[in-house]
Amino acid sequence: MRALLFRDLRLAMRAGGGFGLALAFFLILVVMVPFSVGPDPVLLSRIAPGVLWLGALLACLLSLDRLFALDHEDGSLDLLATAPLPLEAVTAVKALAHWLTTALPLIVAAPVLGVLLSLPAAGYGWLVLSLLAGTPALSAIGTFGAALTVGLKRGGLLLSLLVLPLYVPTLIFGAEVARRGAEGLPIGPTLALLAGVTLATLALLPFASAAVLRINLR
Amino acid sequence: MPEIGVRHETMSIWEYANPRKFTATATRLLPWVAWAAAILTIGGLIWGFAFTPNADRFESTVKIIYVHVPSALMAINAWLMMLAGSLIWLVRRHHVSALAARAAAPVGMVMTLIALWTGAVWGQPMWGTWWAWDPRLTSFLILFLFYLGYMALWAAIEDPDTAADLTSVLCLVGSVFALLSRYAVNFWNQGLHQGTSVPVATGGRSVADVYFLPLVACMVGFGLLFVALVLARTVTLIRTRRLAVIEMKAVRA
């Protein structure tokens, strides 16, 4: 398992692995927001938590179609499927690698981008915490979507169509935690719901991902 | 005491898993269901539109309820039917079941659209807006997105069995997330939409008898319409697949 994780991390870091691409996308998206809604700091600070959450979510979506596609093309996915490691663990490790290479940099960058959107000072900690609690679910759901579309030649757009509706609960709770944090409102129940969704997703979705991967490798 | 080794000829629902038997029965039933649906829906609509008084505060806009409530009901039931069909396919591998789930999706999607559209038409004069981010409206929009994704996945995969498997798993996972979204959305915003008019679970109702009877006619009519459309579409899908097999044989010969 560890070997697989390190292999995926190395592949992502190498040139052409797309590491940092999601980060650049996140940056550009956030920079474009004031251009579209105007530079008014009051408006920006009000929409900042939601924009940052949406940006992180879309950036997570970017690298999903590479999750299994390359392994599928060169046949290493078939090797993984026949390896002693259960496929459920493979999908879980893949989700973890995706989270480490895509979501974690976004979380680190989010406070910096928060400055650009004049996020209120109280909001930074909660923004990071909400992203930490929510993005693992995004990676796990995305892994499911990637496993679902791995056999398709042009799965990219379809992947977004399938995955985005599944992101709705996480987005609602995550952005709500960030917003309440920024406005100084109580957080507890919302954060608990967000973490609950994430934990349930992490516990159950690897099985669904492995099931659809088996169907696709048949 | 029953004799051992003799199969008793009891009718079982699983006999309709045989596509031939299903097609035969469905084609025999179809005219009856279709006519019953047409009579009930058209009758209920005429009854509702022309022969019920206008409600005090709502005036004539209340009459959209005869389309709105039945279509909303079928929008959800269609998804439940797809869920049942997907489960049966995953557990028992009956092709008819997977095809019936596939057949129900566009019907359910259109029902969702009708519910959203009639709701907007009613909301404009009553709430003063075509659209509000009300929990019920929002969750219907999300349901619509789920229908889109499900149908797109069916359309994208060539191998029919793989497509059936993958869409079935998507339907299961999607159901959980659709339900989750329903409650998340509830939490997220308080709504304008009133409570259900016909709470089946409690047996009570908030609609007066004059409106209730034509509404029931329309609801049953829409239900039968859904059944008729799904039967017709399932039979078409079975025949399309059979045709593909025949063509394949002809090409190879």
Side-chain angles (χ1 to χ4, degrees):
Chain A
M1 271 175 100
R2 201 175 295 157
L4 178 62
L5 178 63
F6 286 138
R7 168 183 168 276
D8 272 15
L9 291 183
R10 263 201 309 279
L11 279 176
M13 304 271 199
R14 292 245 169 93
F19 183 74
L21 215 59
L23 203 55
F25 175 78
F26 188 30
L27 172 70
I28 290 178
L29 197 77
V30 169
V31 169
M32 299 297 245
V33 168
F35 297 151
S36 68
V37 302
D40 175 25
V42 180
L43 174 66
L44 283 180
S45 77
R46 226 185 53 204
I47 63 171
V51 168
L52 290 169
W53 247 94
L54 187 63
L57 184 143
L58 291 177
C60 268
L61 205 62
L62 267 189
S63 49
L64 283 179
D65 57 337
R66 316 171 56 102
L67 210 60
F68 292 114
L70 299 177
D71 286 352
H72 187 56
E73 271 166 28
D74 66 11
S76 45
L77 198 57
D78 296 303
L79 287 181
L80 284 174
T82 50
L85 191 63
L87 210 50
E88 283 80 3
V90 172
T91 57
V93 169
K94 285 276 183 188
L96 178 63
H98 177 263
W99 186 78
L100 286 174
T101 54
T102 309
L104 202 56
L106 296 178
I107 297 172
V108 174
V112 182
L113 299 180
V115 176
L116 291 180
L117 295 179
S118 40
L119 184 72
Y124 288 93
W126 294 115
L127 174 70
V128 172
L129 190 67
S130 69
L131 284 171
L132 274 175
T135 45
L138 301 184
S139 288
I141 296 169
T143 310
F144 171 67
L148 211 49
T149 52
V150 69
L152 299 174
K153 275 172 213 82
R154 282 179 298 278
L157 265 180
L158 179 65
L159 179 60
S160 317
L161 180 61
L162 296 179
V163 163
L164 281 175
L166 303 178
Y167 277 176
V168 169
T170 305
L171 177 62
I172 288 178
F173 291 130
E176 183 75 4
V177 170
R179 186 184 69 82
R180 280 168 177 258
E183 292 175 10
L185 296 169
I187 305 263
T190 325
L191 187 60
L193 283 167
L194 174 66
V197 171
T198 302
L199 288 177
T201 309
L202 290 182
L204 298 176
L205 264 187
F207 294 97
S209 309
V212 292
L213 211 51
R214 277 196 197 98
I215 294 164
N216 267 327
L217 290 175
R218 218 166 31 200
Chain B
M1 185 174 166
E3 295 168 63
I4 293 162
V6 175
R7 244 184 108 235
H8 287 267
E9 288 297 319
T10 45
M11 276 295 287
S12 154
I13 184 88
W14 300 114
E15 285 184 22
Y16 294 102
N18 177 349
R20 201 177 293 274
K21 177 138 177 91
F22 177 87
T23 312
T25 312
T27 17
R28 217 172 43 242
L29 278 179
L30 196 52
W32 295 95
V33 182
W35 276 108
I39 291 167
L40 273 170
T41 310
I42 296 172
L45 286 178
I46 293 176
W47 183 2
F49 279 123
F51 299 103
T52 57
N54 289 344
D56 298 337
R57 274 179 302 133
F58 301 113
E59 298 178 358
S60 61
T61 59
V62 75
K63 293 183 172 172
I64 210 153
I65 195 181
Y66 303 115
V67 184
H68 182 68
V69 172
S71 59
L73 182 74
M74 292 325 295
I76 295 169
N77 284 356
W79 186 274
L80 291 181
M81 196 228 103
M82 282 157 56
L83 178 62
S86 303
L87 273 174
I88 293 172
W89 160 252
L90 286 178
V91 175
R92 298 193 57 139
R93 315 300 291 177
H94 297 319
H95 285 86
V96 171
S97 160
L99 289 179
R102 180 182 189 178
V107 186
M109 189 197 75
V110 171
M111 291 290 180
T112 316
L113 260 189
I114 294 175
L116 285 170
W117 174 247
T118 51
V121 169
W122 186 83
Q124 210 284 324
M126 283 300 119
W127 297 342
T129 172
W130 293 97
W131 179 262
W133 289 98
D134 164 277
R136 281 182 190 232
L137 276 64
T138 314
S139 38
F140 255 67
L141 198 57
I142 296 171
L143 182 65
F144 179 69
L145 295 179
F146 274 106
Y147 274 121
L148 280 188
Y150 178 86
M151 285 162 57
L153 190 61
W154 259 112
I157 304 167
E158 269 173 43
D159 180 63
D161 278 4
T162 311
D165 276 334
L166 294 180
T167 52
S168 296
V169 178
L170 177 69
C171 185
L172 295 191
V173 174
S175 304
V176 176
F177 276 89
L179 203 64
L180 205 59
S181 307
R182 177 78 183 86
Y183 289 101
V185 160
N186 245 344
F187 171 88
W188 162 75
N189 195 0
Q190 303 304 315
L192 290 167
H193 199 293
Q194 69 259 50
T196 171
S197 312
V198 191
V200 180
T202 55
R205 59 180 197 245
S206 60
V207 183
D209 278 356
V210 240
Y211 306 111
F212 186 66
L213 292 175
L215 180 58
V216 167
C218 283
M219 275 158 61
V220 177
F222 265 66
L224 289 173
L225 175 67
F226 171 74
V227 172
L229 287 172
V230 170
L231 282 181
R233 286 181 48 82
T234 311
V235 169
T236 312
L237 286 172
I238 292 174
R239 285 183 177 151
T240 316
R241 192 171 286 188
R242 197 170 289 162
L243 197 62
V245 172
I246 292 171
E247 276 176 350
M248 209 55 148
K249 273 185 189 154
V251 169
R252 286 209 183 114

